[in-house]
Amino acid sequence: MLRYARAGTWQETLRENRPRCSRLAAPYKPYLERRFAEGHSNVTRLQRELLAENAPATYQMVRAYIAALHAAH
C-alpha cells in the first residue's frame, strides 16, 4: 500500500516484469527443441513423451517452454 501512497503518478505503481527462468530441467530442453524443430508442438504429446522418460515435467512447464520456442521463431 505504501508504494501506491508514495507514487506521484500511476506509472510509478507498476512493477517491472522480469523474465523468469524455465523450471524445466536443462537435460530435457534439447529434446523439446529437437522435437519442435521436427514440427512437433503438441504439448500434451510432448509432456507424455517426457513422462515416459521419467522427466519431472508438468504440462505447464512444457507449455511455457514450447510457447517460448514459438516466440523465438
Side-chain angles (χ1 to χ4, degrees):
M1 292 297 277
L2 289 178
R3 178 174 46 137
Y4 299 107
R6 292 179 182 157
T9 65
W10 68 269
Q11 290 90 350
E12 293 175 20
T13 64
L14 300 177
R15 290 188 181 186
E16 180 182 334
N17 289 330
R18 290 176 275 141
R20 295 181 182 177
C21 296
S22 172
R23 290 182 13 207
L24 189 63
Y28 306 108
K29 290 179 182 181
Y31 175 79
L32 288 176
E33 291 166 3
R34 181 174 54 82
R35 296 290 284 151
F36 182 79
E38 293 170 353
H40 301 282
S41 61
N42 182 295
V43 174
T44 302
R45 179 178 179 177
L46 293 171
Q47 191 233 359
R48 286 182 182 157
E49 291 174 8
L50 289 176
L51 290 177
E53 299 295 323
N54 295 319
T58 65
Y59 178 87
Q60 291 81 7
M61 294 164 119
V62 176
R63 183 184 66 191
Y65 197 69
I66 294 298
L69 291 176
H70 273 290
H73 288 92

